[in-house]
């Protein structure tokens, strides 16, 4: 069951602040996606390649598909023809592969780098040092990497009730996002996305400066 009232409230609240709402539709049927589409939602997020590739052709072509999960290099080719934004790039190797597949499809693919902010081993991502190192490699090989565009950072906070901890994790992500946009991407207005916040913690993420939230269960019900 889709919570259309929640969607309306969220959409109104977020659009006032210029925050993009990505509706995370993983495991949910095409009919649920269409229900939100018909209300005006265009940004949808998925995190399984197989599932996304099955759903995409069944749905309107003006949907912006966000790939928000951990992406394996050998699967990039399946989503490269249509994906709008890849949120969780966590290695230079993956960046090179996305560029290669984007070139094959004659397009430029927008990506975010995933930063590890959670106090959990299980969440993927890079720390500040590793991101700076990746950006150094990128800078050195920029000419060969014309088919990708790094548009910002993404992160997931620890799954905890401790709001102080969530605040500090999102603060760290947003702070580093500002640093990178003032240094490596100075005067590059496309570097503008700080993707943080899910159903349980998006209010905190918004307070800490999120520009894009990824929300599933409060819109589509529990998975
Ligand atoms: C599933 C998922 C979300 C949405 O989670 P909800 O708690 O359902 O809002 C957000 N981001 C990522 C990376 C996800 O995998």
């Amino acid at each position: 069951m889709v919570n259309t009232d929640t969607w309306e409230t969220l959409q109104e609240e977020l659009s006032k602040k210029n925050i993009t709402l990505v509706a995370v539709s993983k495991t949910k049927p095409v009919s649920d996606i269409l229900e939100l589409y018909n209300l005006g939602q265009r940004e949808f997020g998925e995190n399984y390649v197989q599932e996304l590739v099955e759903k995409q052709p069944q749905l309107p072509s003006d949907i912006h598909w966000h790939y928000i999960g951990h992406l394996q290099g050998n699967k990039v080719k399946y989503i490269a023809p249509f994906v709008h934004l890849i949120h969780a790039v966590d290695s230079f190797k993956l960046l090179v592969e996305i560029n290669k597949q984007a070139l094959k499809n004659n397009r430029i693919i927008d990506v975010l780098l995933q930063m590890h902010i959670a106090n959990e081993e299980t969440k993927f991502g890079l720390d500040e040092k590793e991101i700076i190192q990746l950006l150094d490699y990128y800078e050195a090989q920029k000419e060969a990497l014309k088919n990708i565009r790094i548009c910002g950072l993404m992160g997931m906070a620890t799954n905890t009730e401790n709001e102080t901890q969530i605040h500090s994790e999102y603060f760290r992500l947003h702070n580093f996002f500002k640093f990178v946009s003032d240094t490596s991407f100075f005067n590059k207005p496309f570097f503008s996305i700080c993707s943080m916040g899910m159903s349980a913690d998006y209010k905190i993420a918004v307070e800490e400066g999120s520009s894009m939230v990824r929300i599933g269960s409060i819109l589509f019900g529990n998975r």
Side-chain angles (χ1 to χ4, degrees):
M1 229 209 38
V2 183
N3 299 315
T4 53
D5 290 349
T6 305
W7 179 82
E8 268 164 34
T9 315
L10 262 178
Q11 188 58 38
E12 193 185 322
E13 179 187 331
L14 296 170
S15 65
K16 267 191 258 170
K17 296 176 177 155
N18 260 324
I19 299 169
T20 305
L21 169 61
V22 177
V24 177
S25 48
K26 64 188 182 207
T27 78
K28 299 298 175 183
V30 162
S31 54
D32 282 5
I33 297 174
L34 265 182
E35 202 171 327
L36 280 195
Y37 177 89
N38 288 332
L39 295 177
Q41 179 69 27
R42 290 296 177 272
E43 315 295 318
F44 289 92
E46 291 279 342
N47 70 346
Y48 304 103
V49 168
Q50 170 92 23
E51 187 181 340
L52 173 53
V53 166
E54 277 170 25
K55 285 172 171 174
Q56 186 267 341
Q58 302 178 54
L59 284 155
S61 61
D62 64 340
I63 286 182
H64 288 164
W65 289 107
H66 295 248
Y67 190 78
I68 63 173
H70 182 68
L71 183 57
Q72 287 172 276
N74 61 356
K75 304 230 167 117
V76 176
K77 57 178 178 286
Y78 302 115
I79 62 171
F82 64 86
V83 71
H84 177 71
L85 178 66
I86 297 176
H87 283 236
V89 174
D90 61 357
S91 72
F92 186 67
K93 202 172 152 212
L94 182 58
L95 205 59
V96 170
E97 179 62 21
I98 295 169
N99 183 76
K100 181 177 150 195
Q101 299 300 333
L103 181 64
K104 273 193 188 166
N105 286 280
N106 195 24
R107 56 189 299 248
I108 291 169
I109 295 183
D110 286 346
V111 304
L112 307 177
L113 304 179
Q114 181 173 11
M115 184 163 157
H116 182 93
I117 51 172
N119 184 15
E120 294 164 1
E121 279 301 313
T122 50
K123 291 195 170 120
F124 295 99
L126 308 166
D127 65 18
E128 287 88 343
K129 234 175 102 184
E130 290 166 326
I131 289 177
I132 288 170
Q133 191 177 63
L134 187 151
L135 290 172
D136 284 345
Y137 292 152
Y138 171 70
E139 196 56 43
Q141 299 194 38
K142 228 174 170 172
E143 286 308 301
L145 295 171
K146 285 205 167 101
N147 289 73
I148 49 141
R149 193 166 68 154
I150 301 173
C151 295
L153 303 180
M154 172 271 200
M156 291 170 87
T158 305
N159 183 7
T160 173
E161 311 259 276
N162 183 344
E163 298 198 352
T164 310
Q165 185 179 348
I166 300 171
H167 267 288
S168 81
E169 290 175 359
Y170 282 148
F171 176 84
R172 177 177 159 202
L173 174 57
H174 184 255
N175 201 46
F176 189 64
F177 165 77
K178 279 192 300 184
F179 170 77
V180 174
S181 65
D182 289 343
T183 52
S184 303
F185 293 91
F186 182 69
N187 258 338
K188 301 279 195 299
F190 57 81
F191 191 91
S192 62
I193 303 175
C194 186
S195 167
M196 56 189 206
M198 320 189 359
S199 291
D201 62 17
Y202 80 90
K203 288 195 173 126
I204 298 174
V206 166
E207 283 173 32
E208 295 298 341
S210 172
S211 68
M212 183 175 276
V213 294
R214 309 173 310 270
I215 294 185
S217 45
I218 59 171
L219 290 175
F220 293 106
N222 288 329
R223 288 178 297 272

